[in-house]
Amino acid sequence: MASIHQSFGFGTPPANRSLQGFPGSPGYQSSQSFYSQTPPGVAPYQHSLISPTDAQSSSTISHLPLARDSIDVAGRTIDKCILSDSSSAKLIDQLKITKEGCPTHSGLSPSDYPQAAQSCRMLLKQCGTMKRVPLPQELVEQFAHVETISSMGLLPQIGRAWLTIDSNIYLWNYRDGSDLAFYDGLSEAILSAGIAKPKPNVFQPQIEYLLVLATTVEIVLLGVTFSGDEIHVIPDPLFALPTDGAFILTIEASDSGRIFLGAKDGCLYEVTYTSDSGWFSRRCKKINHSRSAISFLLPSFINAAFYEDEPIVQIVIDESRRLLYTRSDKGTLVLFDLGENGSSVSRVAYMTLQNIADAAHNIVSTIDKTCFRPLAGISLIESSESPELNLVAFSTSGVRMYFTCLPFNAIIGAPLTSPVQRYSGLTLTHIRLPPGFSVSSTSQKPSNVRASYYCKGTSILSSPHADDTDSIWVASSDMFPFSQTLTEGFSVEQLDGRVCDIVLDGVRNSIVGGLKMEPPAVVVQHSRPPANFVILTSQGCHIFPKLRPVEVLRQILVESGGADSEIVRTFFTILKEEQGAAVALILACSQHAQDPQISDWATKAFLLYGGEIKTTPTNVVPTFPHSSLSGSDSPLTGSGRPSFGTPLHGPPLGFSTLGTPVQSFQPPLISTPQPGQTIDNLAPISPIESFFSGKHNGIYIYLGRIIRPIWIRELISEKKIGNSLLVESSVSVDEIGFIISKLTDLQSFIERNSLITSASLPDNFNISRRNITDVPAQRRHYMDVKQAEKQSLQALDHLVKHSAEVLGLWRVICDHQLHLLKDNLPGDILSQMKMMSFRDLILGGQEVCSSLINSLINRYLADSASTDSISSRLRDVCPSLYRSDDAICSKVNELLLNARNESSRANKEQLLKEALELCKQIPTRVQLSNVCQHLSALQCFSGIVDLCLAVADKRDPQKRGLYYYQSNEPADDKAGRDSYLARIDAYRQITTYLGLLMYGIPASPQGPPTTSQTVADAQSQVENMLKLVLRSDDELCHVAVYSWLIERGLIDKLLQIRSPFLEKYLLREKDCHPEVPLKMDLLWKFYENQRNFAAASKVLAQLADTHNAQLSLNQRIEYLSRAIVCAKSGSMNVGPMSAQGDLLHELEEKMDVARLQAQILESVMQLPSHIPQVRDAISRLNSEFFNVTTLYEDFAEPFGLSECQLAIMQCAGHQDPPLIMSIWSQIFDKEIAKVGNAESSTKMAVLGAALKRLARQYASSEQYFPLEHVIKTLELYAVKFQYQEPLWLPNTLLSAGIPLLRIYKAYVKVHSARDNVWKAEGAPHHLVTVIDRITKIFAENPNSLPAPERRSMYGTLLVELPVLLSHLYGFADPQAKLLAVSLKQTQEQLLRSSLH
């Protein structure tokens, strides 16, 4: 964004101000002033010291064009996401209803109601935690005196439930059971009650609602007021009129205040009232809309002959279409049209229950006709859900019947003028059977439905559960938002009473961006609370939230205790990866204090199940749809319309079936990018198809849903006040604030999880090799795709930050009243704003933003107010749109001019100090050479060093130049090279003025003349500058000065320098320039001057430890060997001996570990080289030395190098018996795996050889040679392989040098453990058999052992043999008896031998 310093009293910026400062742009100026445009009244200085045109030194400015392009690319992707969310299948399409007039049915297919496995039932659960609010205790006490209970119901408009007891009505807050109120001013029993909004200008303003009560003789309208949350019913009726014998059964009111009554005589009545009565009219009257006026003149018995009473039990009003429906107790549906403006009533059509049942049976002839009657209830279908379908009726069997009031051949969306054209009748268009009707369904069917409710795709049915309780069936398609067919999940909940009424409570209006059709719940769930349903039973109220995907995910995360569960993975499978990722982001981005754990779990779920990039040969998945992420046309503004959709790859785990593939935003097909290509111009030139990951698409989808409400909404609106037009924002400040908060949360999420912008291969990277012969090429392609995804996510990150800043600026503008600022705006800017949407402002409104900021600042200046506060706020809200550099530029200019004219040395130094401090705040915009010239003219050479160091650091804040230098200047590191050259350019000013002082070379031919000074003064300045350089920690500045000294032949001065960087510099010069004798000799001369052999050994040790892929491990060991020799030489010639001894000891220990590392490297190199991890390990092992912990954790353990693990543990002296035993088991398992299906003798021979080899190495250390574990493991192998040589293991151990006594004791200890594994293997006496054979070996030749060992052996055997015999006597099997006999004989033989 352009600099806006002109707003500080210097006038408005030019029209192309947003491009100013970029060479080649229309606003670029190469002036010789401090500014790109000299402010009026400021004389231009002879040299440009500071200028915004120095774009190359400004990271913010130089990266702006790239960021601008990436924001545009991300913006076009957001267009597609929003379009995809808006392109979900309409209800009429999901039901497969066409204009040709062919009714359809559904519910018989298993995919209509997916069945969940027991472990995944939560995924289809529709109801949240049920809150039970019992009836107020006062009402329960009244039941003892009840004579007549007419009815009870809910009034969601005021959040109250009502109950009539005789002639009294009670109202209470159904959310918590509080605020019980009653009215007892009637004498007759109350039949029904309703609530209505008062008509305007009729009652006093404090009357907020009308309570309409109907008794057997009169209809009463009572005023309702509220004091906070407390309801008050005015006792005196506002109006009362007789019923004229009509028993009112139901009352319903429209939003405009019209009150309709349904009566037992089958008539629809309306109560009308006015503020004044006339000559021929009453203030309040009752109108019958069902019968003609002449019927009132006929006797009642004649009316009865012409009209059959069908009591109206339900009235439903469609506010959006101005329609009214009635349902009689016999199931007849009647349609009334309320007129264009909702002020009239005309009966349009009716349909009897018999007609409905016949029509339904014709649609689904395989279902018994009784399933379609009688009717349990009707509900309207709002126009925002379906413009074509109007009404849904429920039968007592739970069947849903969808009706339309339009003819099938009506042109959907065409303007409809008259009621006849608009609503020609009631037509049954679709039958939806409830769960349980499909052949494969295992669920029960709802029956005897008592009550029903439908709202925005959610159906609720109540049916009897027990004698006095009901169950509710809740079905919704929220978990299948983009399905092409109506796929619903359902769940059943038990209640504690009979259902009396069902309503929707707590629905708040939310921003939907002016779109006509309501998007699926998954699209807006981040900005809306869940809908709460209230069910009134005879025992109280039950309130539960309708679970949407985000609540389902939250609940399964809580119940699973984290993201590592099958049900969470299944959730992502059902919604698809990108939709699941978008839902997870709602929770992951949450900043609520009570949600940190949920946020962490959701983040982990996002990362685990959000999917990876898919790379597939083109002929493997030929049906994959693809749509580019960024085409030339925006789907919202251009002509192109993307195609979204993905086939399901099999049903999700845990579900028996799924329906039609869902429609959703899908990853783009991209190909390997070529040099010069960006995300926006990738073309499919490779035979490999690639699709961005679900995580990538999910973040874009979520961002699109955040800014969807305002994305295409106009920026400003005009409101006429009197004769003038007031310009204001079309979106409220609160709405903007909500979106900013969501953007900020998303930005924090991206920053917390930086790994989503990484471009590394995943651990489970696996490419299909089918029809692909060039696997390395495919791997490179994958990395290219990964890089493209990284760029796309970076573009999204830029868009998130930029959107938050632009909207933050807009909120600041709105806070300062836009209509007051518009007068300061240029006319063309205001004209642009009138035609702009928020999308235009975010993606291309740089000029408008700059003008708005200027107008705001100028408003403060015009009022003579301080701009500090607004400047601070703007810098906090939109730092990239508003900067403080311009004010600093003016101050630097002023200070340098004042210093030039200041005669006092102290004052001059203070001015220069202030100027330098300000320059350090904006070093990227400093014209360094010009500033240094003026500092030189003022004899401020120390300031030159200070400024150059600061500028170099700001030009390369990430120290890429140092890394580039330390990495030996790699040719492919262009960014590092540019940073390195930028630093060197800054240091060149220091060496230039060092040369000027030492040799009298002018800084530049055009530079100002320096003050004449003596050689001593110049030498003092040089020494001072060198001290400042050497005191700094800027290594590259040291390098620049060292190189300058060598070029000037000042070798002696170089070698006199005491700096930690000098030795590194000399080492690097030697390594980088081995062909130059001078460079090769400098290091050794340095050490000759120092006479420091210990330093030489340290240097060699550092060389061995240098992280360099060019050095092999053998070379490093050689360096280490030479370091040891030097250390020994140093200990002979230089004291103290202790220090050199420590160094020598350290090097020798490092050599021991290095040999261990060489052993690991040798083992790793024997592994298959095509495995990426193997190649990476070989590279790492060659690149540097590691400690034993790293060798174990990063190499020996991951690659399963069991013998190396054991060697490391012995080397480190680490004692962990369980781990050591596990390693020994792994060693033997791998030996067995090597021979595969070989014979038992071969396997045992392999095990014996391995044991002998390792026993010789570790037998002397019992900690690392767990003999008992080895015996148990190998003897189990002998049993498993049915190896019939009992002494093979003892003989092997003896041949490895292990004493017989130790072997015998180990066997006895293993046997004494009484492990059931021997019995399980079918050899309960195997160990006793081996022990018997070992005993016989000794008994037959006791003199084979030395005398001390022989005596110990005698003692041990005489003690252990009775124990073994006692153990065998407890068995009755023949083998035990034979072993007992054998051991007894051996015992007797040993007793005889011991006597001799």
Side-chain angles (χ1 to χ4, degrees):
M1 180 54 60
S3 170
I4 59 164
H5 69 268
Q6 288 95 336
S7 63
F8 291 85
F10 297 139
T12 57
N16 55 11
R17 188 69 176 93
S18 61
L19 295 175
Q20 192 164 355
F22 294 98
S25 63
Y28 176 74
Q29 299 180 13
S30 180
S31 66
Q32 292 297 318
S33 64
F34 285 97
Y35 303 90
S36 57
Q37 180 176 342
T38 304
V42 178
Y45 195 47
Q46 60 178 347
H47 292 288
S48 176
L49 305 184
I50 302 175
S51 172
T53 60
D54 189 13
Q56 289 76 11
S57 63
S58 173
S59 59
T60 302
I61 296 179
S62 62
H63 288 83
L64 189 57
L66 178 59
R68 183 79 269 150
D69 293 341
S70 66
I71 289 173
D72 292 339
V73 172
R76 289 195 292 272
T77 307
I78 294 301
D79 290 341
K80 295 185 179 182
C81 294
I82 294 177
L83 180 61
S84 178
D85 280 343
S86 303
S87 303
S88 58
K90 297 193 298 184
L91 180 60
I92 193 172
D93 297 326
Q94 289 182 318
L95 300 178
K96 305 303 179 185
I97 301 172
T98 61
K99 300 177 185 177
E100 287 71 21
C102 181
T104 58
H105 68 274
S106 62
L108 291 176
S109 171
S111 63
D112 292 336
Y113 298 101
Q115 298 292 313
Q118 184 65 33
S119 60
C120 297
R121 289 269 174 91
M122 183 57 214
L123 293 176
L124 295 183
K125 187 175 176 62
Q126 304 299 317
C127 306
T129 303
M130 188 81 70
K131 176 185 177 183
R132 183 181 180 276
V133 183
L135 294 176
Q137 185 61 34
E138 296 88 339
L139 285 182
V140 177
E141 294 173 357
Q142 290 292 327
F143 285 158
H145 310 288
V146 171
E147 295 182 9
T148 303
I149 299 180
S150 298
S151 56
M152 59 193 304
L154 296 167
L155 304 174
Q157 300 92 330
I158 60 174
R160 296 297 187 273
W162 60 271
L163 169 67
T164 61
I165 300 178
D166 301 329
S167 61
N168 298 336
I169 184 169
Y170 296 85
L171 300 171
W172 71 95
N173 189 327
Y174 57 65
R175 297 186 181 99
D176 55 15
S178 64
D179 191 27
L180 177 64
F182 73 95
Y183 179 75
D184 59 356
L186 301 177
S187 58
E188 300 294 331
I190 299 174
L191 300 178
S192 58
I195 199 77
K197 292 181 180 179
K199 293 181 179 180
N201 304 320
V202 176
F203 306 109
Q204 294 297 325
Q206 62 267 26
I207 297 179
E208 301 179 44
Y209 289 94
L210 301 178
L211 179 62
V212 185
L213 302 178
T215 69
T216 55
V217 296
E218 64 178 339
I219 302 168
V220 177
L221 275 64
L222 301 172
V224 176
T225 64
F226 283 89
S227 176
D229 293 331
E230 185 177 347
I231 190 172
H232 300 280
V233 179
I234 299 176
D236 296 330
L238 299 174
F239 292 110
L241 66 161
T243 61
D244 297 326
F247 282 66
I248 306 302
L249 303 181
T250 180
I251 301 173
E252 194 69 34
S254 68
D255 289 346
S256 61
R258 299 183 68 180
I259 303 172
F260 295 95
L261 315 174
K264 187 177 180 181
D265 60 5
C267 295
L268 175 69
Y269 295 94
E270 181 182 1
V271 175
T272 64
Y273 57 89
T274 60
S275 57
D276 298 312
S277 60
W279 287 97
F280 301 101
S281 62
R282 292 175 294 174
R283 291 185 62 193
C284 183
K285 61 182 178 179
K286 176 169 63 71
I287 302 174
N288 188 334
H289 292 300
S290 297
R291 299 180 184 176
S292 62
I294 195 173
S295 64
F296 293 100
L297 303 176
L298 299 177
S300 59
F301 71 90
I302 297 179
N303 280 330
F306 286 96
Y307 299 98
E308 180 182 359
D309 289 348
E310 289 192 17
I312 295 177
V313 294
Q314 187 178 7
I315 299 173
V316 175
I317 301 175
D318 188 341
E319 299 286 352
S320 61
R321 301 183 181 95
R322 310 296 188 190
L323 296 176
L324 182 145
Y325 308 90
T326 65
R327 175 179 66 88
S328 71
D329 65 345
K330 295 182 180 180
T332 298
L333 302 181
V334 182
L335 168 65
F336 294 87
D337 189 351
L338 301 183
E340 289 287 343
N341 56 4
S343 60
S344 62
V345 177
S346 61
R347 178 169 168 167
V348 177
Y350 75 97
M351 198 170 185
T352 65
L353 180 60
Q354 183 62 42
N355 298 143
I356 295 172
D358 292 341
H361 187 66
N362 290 334
I363 298 173
V364 194
S365 59
T366 58
I367 303 299
D368 189 79
K369 190 181 293 187
T370 58
C371 293
F372 308 121
R373 61 186 180 190
L375 297 183
I378 59 174
S379 295
L380 64 89
I381 301 175
E382 297 181 1
S383 59
S384 61
E385 182 183 359
S386 174
E388 301 85 9
L389 300 178
N390 306 83
L391 187 72
V392 59
F394 296 85
S395 73
T396 55
S397 298
V399 177
R400 269 177 278 166
M401 291 166 277
Y402 291 83
F403 294 86
T404 182
C405 301
L406 295 168
F408 269 111
N409 56 359
I411 300 176
I412 298 175
L416 304 171
T417 55
S418 68
V420 176
Q421 291 176 311
R422 294 163 57 203
Y423 312 111
S424 60
L426 281 170
T427 305
L428 181 60
T429 61
H430 185 81
I431 299 296
R432 178 70 172 186
L433 297 171
F437 275 82
S438 66
V439 177
S440 62
S441 175
T442 59
S443 65
Q444 297 179 351
K445 305 175 184 177
S447 60
N448 298 325
V449 174
R450 300 175 182 271
S452 64
Y453 189 81
Y454 179 88
C455 180
K456 296 181 180 178
T458 299
S459 303
I460 304 177
L461 305 175
S462 72
S463 61
H465 174 64
D467 293 338
D468 296 321
T469 61
D470 283 354
S471 299
I472 58 168
W473 296 63
V474 184
S476 170
S477 60
D478 285 351
M479 280 297 292
F480 310 92
F482 298 99
S483 176
Q484 297 301 307
T485 59
L486 184 58
T487 304
E488 296 178 304
F490 73 94
S491 60
V492 182
E493 303 289 338
Q494 311 300 328
L495 304 179
D496 61 358
R498 295 295 188 193
V499 174
C500 300
D501 199 2
I502 306 174
V503 298
L504 179 66
D505 176 60
V507 177
R508 299 189 182 96
N509 292 328
S510 133
I511 332 172
V512 293
L515 303 177
K516 295 182 180 179
M517 289 296 297
E518 182 78 3
V522 72
V523 176
V524 295
Q525 59 186 343
H526 68 283
S527 61
R528 300 184 184 180
N532 290 323
F533 288 95
V534 185
I535 300 178
L536 178 65
T537 70
S538 55
Q539 302 299 317
C541 291
H542 296 75
I543 305 175
F544 67 88
K546 168 65 182 67
L547 295 183
R548 303 167 298 178
V550 65
E551 285 85 32
V552 171
L553 179 59
R554 172 190 286 269
Q555 193 154 339
I556 63 177
L557 286 173
V558 172
E559 293 184 358
S560 302
D564 297 319
S565 65
E566 185 62 27
I567 189 172
V568 179
R569 188 192 68 80
T570 306
F571 176 86
F572 279 76
T573 305
I574 295 174
L575 280 181
K576 305 299 291 182
E577 289 176 349
E578 63 276 2
Q579 293 294 340
V583 174
L585 281 172
I586 301 176
L587 300 176
C589 296
S590 175
Q591 298 294 319
H592 295 301
Q594 64 270 27
D595 285 351
Q597 185 62 72
I598 299 292
S599 177
D600 293 342
W601 288 341
T603 300
K604 187 173 182 181
F606 171 85
L607 299 174
L608 283 178
Y609 310 118
E612 298 293 340
I613 286 175
K614 296 176 179 63
T615 303
T616 314
T618 54
N619 57 347
V620 173
V621 189
T623 61
F624 244 97
H626 31 270
S627 58
S628 173
L629 259 183
S630 53
S632 58
D633 292 328
S634 165
L636 295 182
T637 58
S639 59
R641 179 181 176 85
S643 173
F644 299 104
T646 291
L648 287 176
H649 302 288
L653 186 61
F655 278 77
S656 60
T657 180
L658 268 182
T660 307
V662 299
Q663 176 181 0
S664 60
F665 172 69
Q666 292 302 318
L669 169 68
I670 65 175
S671 62
T672 307
Q674 300 299 315
Q677 284 186 316
T678 65
I679 309 173
D680 203 26
N681 60 12
L682 292 175
I685 62 174
S686 170
I688 303 174
E689 287 185 346
S690 300
F691 301 87
F692 281 166
S693 66
K695 293 191 287 287
H696 167 277
N697 297 338
I699 297 179
Y700 267 102
I701 291 172
Y702 181 54
L703 175 58
R705 290 171 181 173
I706 290 175
I707 59 180
R708 167 192 175 92
I710 64 169
W711 189 243
I712 59 174
R713 189 182 292 191
E714 64 277 6
L715 186 62
I716 61 175
S717 60
E718 294 181 333
K719 182 170 62 176
K720 189 171 184 179
I721 300 180
N723 296 326
S724 60
L725 290 176
L726 179 66
V727 177
E728 60 182 6
S729 172
S730 64
V731 180
S732 69
V733 173
D734 292 339
E735 292 172 332
I736 291 292
F738 174 79
I739 294 174
I740 291 174
S741 68
K742 291 296 181 182
L743 291 172
T744 304
D745 292 346
L746 178 58
Q747 182 178 343
S748 299
F749 172 83
I750 294 174
E751 292 173 353
R752 291 196 309 270
N753 301 276
S754 57
L755 56 91
I756 64 175
T757 58
S758 65
S760 59
L761 283 171
D763 294 337
N764 58 349
F765 174 71
N766 186 17
I767 302 176
S768 172
R769 296 181 178 225
R770 195 163 34 169
N771 299 328
I772 295 293
T773 57
D774 190 359
V775 175
Q778 190 175 8
R779 183 182 181 86
R780 288 194 301 271
H781 172 81
Y782 181 92
M783 293 304 299
D784 291 338
V785 176
K786 194 75 175 179
Q787 182 64 24
E789 178 172 291
K790 175 183 177 181
Q791 293 175 0
S792 179
L793 288 173
Q794 289 173 340
L796 176 135
D797 186 40
H798 291 155
L799 179 59
V800 171
K801 295 176 181 177
H802 183 67
S803 299
E805 291 194 17
V806 172
L807 294 179
L809 171 62
W810 187 251
R811 181 167 60 173
V812 173
I813 296 299
C814 293
D815 289 341
H816 288 79
Q817 300 182 349
L818 177 61
H819 64 279
L820 297 178
L821 301 176
K822 71 178 182 64
D823 295 335
N824 293 328
L825 292 173
D828 58 331
I829 296 296
L830 186 59
S831 300
Q832 290 181 40
M833 293 173 61
K834 292 180 180 179
M835 302 175 61
M836 291 180 76
S837 64
F838 279 91
R839 177 188 185 276
D840 302 328
L841 180 66
I842 292 172
L843 298 184
Q846 305 97 304
E847 187 177 356
V848 172
C849 290
S850 179
S851 297
L852 288 172
I853 293 175
N854 287 335
S855 176
L856 179 61
I857 297 297
N858 288 334
R859 180 74 184 179
Y860 271 76
L861 295 175
D863 293 340
S864 300
S866 172
T867 61
D868 292 343
S869 60
I870 188 61
S871 296
S872 176
R873 184 178 179 187
L874 287 173
R875 285 193 290 273
D876 290 339
V877 169
C878 48
S880 68
L881 303 178
Y882 179 82
R883 298 172 301 174
S884 58
D885 294 359
D886 301 294
I888 296 177
C889 290
S890 293
K891 192 64 177 176
V892 171
N893 183 13
E894 175 187 347
L895 291 172
L896 289 178
L897 289 174
N898 292 340
R900 184 184 181 107
N901 299 321
E902 179 61 49
S903 58
S904 170
R905 182 178 180 83
N907 292 340
K908 178 183 293 188
E909 290 180 353
Q910 180 62 31
L911 291 172
L912 290 174
K913 181 179 178 181
E914 293 179 11
L916 286 172
E917 290 301 320
L918 290 176
C919 282
K920 291 177 184 179
Q921 297 179 26
I922 53 168
T924 55
R925 298 181 59 191
V926 170
Q927 295 282 354
L928 191 58
S929 59
N930 291 336
V931 174
C932 289
Q933 288 179 12
H934 292 277
L935 291 175
S936 173
L938 295 169
Q939 299 296 308
C940 185
F941 294 100
S942 61
I944 293 176
V945 176
D946 195 14
L947 180 60
C948 290
L949 290 173
V951 169
D953 189 58
K954 285 295 184 177
R955 287 181 178 180
D956 181 24
Q958 298 178 347
K959 294 182 169 48
R960 292 180 179 175
L962 178 60
Y963 177 78
Y964 172 81
Y965 167 79
Q966 293 175 341
S967 303
N968 295 326
E969 304 176 14
D972 57 345
D973 187 3
K974 184 179 183 304
R977 180 177 180 274
D978 293 342
S979 299
Y980 174 77
L981 292 178
R983 281 182 172 270
I984 294 301
D985 180 68
Y987 307 141
R988 188 176 293 114
Q989 301 300 322
I990 297 176
T991 56
T992 297
Y993 287 97
L994 282 173
L996 171 67
L997 291 171
M998 293 188 69
Y999 304 107
I1001 302 174
S1004 66
Q1006 294 79 23
T1010 60
T1011 305
S1012 58
Q1013 54 186 331
T1014 64
V1015 175
D1017 292 338
Q1019 186 63 32
S1020 175
Q1021 293 282 11
V1022 169
E1023 294 295 334
N1024 187 38
M1025 291 181 69
L1026 287 175
K1027 287 180 181 179
L1028 291 175
V1029 170
L1030 298 177
R1031 193 183 303 163
S1032 74
D1033 59 354
D1034 190 334
E1035 182 176 350
L1036 286 181
C1037 185
H1038 283 251
V1039 169
V1041 173
Y1042 298 160
S1043 300
W1044 181 81
L1045 290 174
I1046 292 174
E1047 290 173 1
R1048 297 294 180 179
L1050 303 174
I1051 304 300
D1052 293 339
K1053 185 174 286 292
L1054 174 68
L1055 296 178
Q1056 292 172 5
I1057 292 176
R1058 297 293 182 266
S1059 169
F1061 299 119
L1062 180 57
E1063 185 175 355
K1064 293 172 59 178
Y1065 169 77
L1066 294 175
L1067 285 170
R1068 183 186 182 280
E1069 288 297 299
K1070 178 184 71 69
D1071 294 336
C1072 293
H1073 305 284
E1075 71 283 357
V1076 181
L1078 176 62
K1079 299 295 179 67
M1080 296 181 66
D1081 291 341
L1082 282 176
L1083 183 61
W1084 302 111
K1085 289 182 178 179
F1086 172 77
Y1087 285 128
E1088 282 180 356
N1089 287 342
Q1090 300 297 320
R1091 304 290 296 172
N1092 191 351
F1093 291 103
S1097 65
K1098 291 180 180 179
V1099 170
L1100 289 169
Q1102 291 173 3
L1103 283 171
D1105 287 335
T1106 301
H1107 186 80
N1108 190 337
Q1110 304 299 322
L1111 294 179
S1112 67
L1113 182 59
N1114 291 333
Q1115 291 173 312
R1116 296 177 187 280
I1117 294 176
E1118 182 180 353
Y1119 278 127
L1120 196 58
S1121 170
R1122 293 178 60 187
I1124 293 173
V1125 173
C1126 288
K1128 291 180 178 179
S1129 300
S1131 64
M1132 296 175 60
N1133 298 288
V1134 184
M1137 296 294 294
S1138 60
Q1140 298 304 320
D1142 291 343
L1143 175 62
L1144 180 59
H1145 179 69
E1146 179 183 350
L1147 293 174
E1148 289 175 342
E1149 283 188 343
K1150 186 175 293 186
M1151 179 62 77
D1152 292 338
V1153 179
R1155 293 193 183 99
L1156 195 58
Q1157 184 170 335
Q1159 179 185 349
I1160 293 175
L1161 177 60
E1162 181 180 357
S1163 300
V1164 172
M1165 293 179 68
Q1166 295 175 4
L1167 298 176
S1169 60
H1170 67 275
I1171 300 176
Q1173 291 83 354
V1174 172
R1175 295 199 298 269
D1176 180 65
I1178 293 173
S1179 176
R1180 289 184 62 193
L1181 288 168
N1182 275 310
S1183 64
E1184 59 180 314
F1185 285 136
F1186 297 97
N1187 57 37
V1188 290
T1189 302
T1190 305
L1191 290 174
Y1192 185 92
E1193 294 179 350
D1194 290 5
F1195 302 100
E1197 185 178 34
F1199 289 101
L1201 307 178
S1202 304
E1203 295 188 22
C1204 293
Q1205 289 179 262
L1206 191 60
I1208 291 173
M1209 295 189 70
Q1210 186 187 39
C1211 179
H1214 180 71
Q1215 298 182 14
D1216 187 347
L1219 179 59
I1220 292 171
M1221 289 188 290
S1222 173
I1223 291 173
W1224 275 97
S1225 298
Q1226 293 173 16
I1227 292 173
F1228 295 138
D1229 291 342
K1230 290 177 182 178
E1231 293 296 329
I1232 292 297
K1234 290 178 181 178
V1235 296
N1237 297 324
E1239 296 180 354
S1240 298
S1241 59
T1242 303
K1243 293 180 179 178
M1244 303 314 292
V1246 169
L1247 289 174
L1251 176 61
K1252 187 182 297 184
R1253 169 170 47 83
L1254 294 173
R1256 289 172 179 168
Q1257 182 177 354
Y1258 299 101
S1260 60
S1261 176
E1262 294 184 1
Q1263 296 91 338
Y1264 303 102
F1265 188 70
L1267 183 57
E1268 292 83 2
H1269 176 74
V1270 170
I1271 289 174
K1272 178 181 176 181
T1273 302
L1274 294 180
E1275 289 293 356
L1276 282 174
Y1277 272 122
V1279 172
K1280 179 179 179 181
F1281 299 145
Q1282 299 179 0
Y1283 192 62
Q1284 303 300 325
E1285 292 292 337
L1287 289 175
W1288 79 273
L1289 181 54
N1291 289 335
T1292 302
L1293 293 172
L1294 286 171
S1295 65
I1298 300 177
L1300 181 63
L1301 177 59
R1302 182 181 174 188
I1303 297 172
Y1304 181 84
K1305 287 182 177 180
Y1307 267 97
V1308 170
K1309 188 173 181 180
V1310 173
H1311 176 264
S1312 64
R1314 303 293 192 270
D1315 199 329
N1316 291 329
V1317 67
W1318 305 103
K1319 184 178 180 180
E1321 292 291 340
H1325 308 303
H1326 177 78
L1327 288 177
V1328 180
T1329 302
V1330 179
I1331 292 172
D1332 178 48
R1333 297 296 296 272
I1334 295 174
T1335 306
K1336 288 186 183 300
I1337 291 175
F1338 175 73
E1340 293 171 358
N1341 188 15
N1343 295 326
S1344 61
L1345 299 180
E1349 186 177 349
R1350 183 168 62 251
R1351 286 192 295 271
S1352 298
M1353 190 70 177
Y1354 272 121
T1356 302
L1357 290 175
L1358 293 177
V1359 172
E1360 296 295 340
L1361 286 177
V1363 178
L1364 292 172
L1365 288 170
S1366 176
H1367 171 72
L1368 289 174
Y1369 291 153
F1371 293 90
D1373 58 285
Q1375 185 183 6
K1377 293 179 179 180
L1378 292 174
L1379 286 172
V1381 171
S1382 178
L1383 285 174
K1384 187 64 176 179
Q1385 294 174 354
T1386 306
Q1387 183 183 30
E1388 294 173 355
Q1389 183 180 356
L1390 289 172
L1391 288 172
R1392 291 193 298 269
S1393 299
S1394 64
L1395 296 176
H1396 299 290

